Amino acid sequence: AQKITQTQPGMFVQEKEAVTLDCTYDTSDPSYGLFWYKQPSSGEMIFLIYQGSYDQQNATEGRYSLNFQKARKSANLVISASQLGDSAMYFCAMRGQDTGRRALTFGSGTRLQVQP
Amino acid sequence: GAVVSQHPSWVICKSGTSVKIECRSLDFQATTMFWYRQFPKQSLMLMATSNEGSKATYEQGVEKDKFLINHASLTLSTLTVTSAHPEDSSFYICSARVAGINTGELFFGEGSRLTVL
């Protein structure tokens, strides 16, 4: 079984500052993938960043970077230079070894509010 | 590319009626689609895996006779909430994988917000 834990129900950050959203995971699969999605109030799920368990380097996508610490089973999302439009729910998710047919397992989410 | 469209976005129905939600992959073929449910301020919970041409696989605790899933083509999966009750009011969101994208990323529809009166 897979489990994703996000311990921060809500976070505040000042505009233009960086923020880290925590995510820890548990799985018995030797190969897995970790994702971060953003969900604004409209409800759509927007893919932000992906990290494979065998990737040697931490993933980066623009202002988003993933701090992957495999031994600690953590995959924290770092958002640099926060913008007002970053205010949303953020979900950490995981897929197991079988990429073809298995769904993603989601954490409980963190609500980020960016303050001007 | 990789657009998933869901319809309707909003639906209000009376208790006891049935509601159908459509999920279409617009520019790719999806042999597998996933249906999630999200209650207010909660996470996405997987309801079922929809497989083209075969029966859906339901998660534990999800009533297959209440949530009928049909995946009759490679671009369309439907979720029918039968005899809806107020406790079925929720945000239903579908997703699909694109063959060849090995990360396993899911592409999501816009979601359908169901309110049962």
Side-chain angles (χ1 to χ4, degrees):
Chain A
Q2 300 170 348
K3 186 175 181 181
I4 294 282
T5 303
Q6 294 179 253
T7 57
Q8 307 156 312
M11 290 282 286
F12 289 91
V13 65
Q14 290 292 123
E15 195 177 6
K16 300 180 184 177
E17 293 190 349
V19 63
T20 298
L21 306 183
D22 295 341
C23 173
T24 58
Y25 61 91
D26 193 19
T27 180
S28 57
D29 285 344
S31 173
Y32 51 89
L34 296 155
F35 302 80
W36 278 91
Y37 282 84
K38 172 184 178 181
Q39 187 180 43
S41 56
S42 56
E44 67 205 272
M45 295 291 285
I46 301 168
F47 166 74
L48 297 178
I49 196 167
Y50 165 80
Q51 179 83 43
S53 59
Y54 289 115
D55 292 344
Q56 295 296 314
Q57 294 188 329
N58 286 344
T60 60
E61 288 285 349
R63 294 186 299 111
Y64 304 108
S65 60
L66 201 151
N67 184 0
F68 181 47
Q69 298 188 42
K70 194 170 183 178
R72 303 175 85 174
K73 293 190 175 181
S74 73
N76 299 339
L77 176 70
V78 180
I79 305 175
S80 62
S82 297
Q83 302 172 356
L84 295 178
D86 294 334
S87 295
M89 280 292 290
Y90 288 80
F91 291 98
C92 181
M94 153 180 269
R95 63 132 178 97
Q97 190 162 281
D98 181 6
T99 59
R101 300 187 67 81
R102 285 168 64 175
L104 298 185
T105 301
F106 286 84
S108 55
T110 296
R111 180 168 297 280
L112 177 65
Q113 295 189 52
V114 181
Q115 297 175 319
Chain B
V3 177
V4 177
S5 178
Q6 208 169 322
H7 177 81
S9 300
W10 293 82
V11 58
I12 300 173
C13 70
K14 293 183 178 180
S15 186
T17 60
S18 294
V19 174
K20 180 185 283 188
I21 300 170
E22 294 185 346
C23 179
R24 294 181 186 273
S25 56
L26 297 187
D27 51 0
F28 67 99
Q29 294 182 334
T31 56
T32 302
M33 288 186 174
F34 305 99
W35 286 94
Y36 287 86
R37 178 168 56 184
Q38 186 181 28
F39 291 109
K41 298 185 179 181
Q42 293 189 26
S43 185
L44 281 73
M45 299 302 296
L46 180 67
M47 297 177 66
T49 300
S50 169
N51 304 299
E52 188 269 334
S54 64
K55 291 183 179 180
T57 304
Y58 290 82
E59 295 300 299
Q60 191 173 13
V62 178
E63 299 174 59
K64 62 180 181 180
D65 294 330
K66 181 169 187 60
F67 298 100
L68 300 179
I69 291 173
N70 185 280
H71 194 155
S73 78
L74 287 171
T75 59
L76 174 65
S77 176
T78 61
L79 168 68
T80 301
V81 183
T82 62
S83 186
H85 287 96
E87 56 265 30
D88 299 324
S89 298
S90 187
F91 188 63
Y92 294 88
I93 189 164
C94 69
S95 62
R97 274 211 178 89
V98 178
I101 297 182
N102 297 323
T103 62
E105 174 189 347
L106 290 184
F107 293 87
F108 285 84
E110 307 94 327
S112 300
R113 197 167 299 281
L114 171 64
T115 301
V116 184
L117 303 176

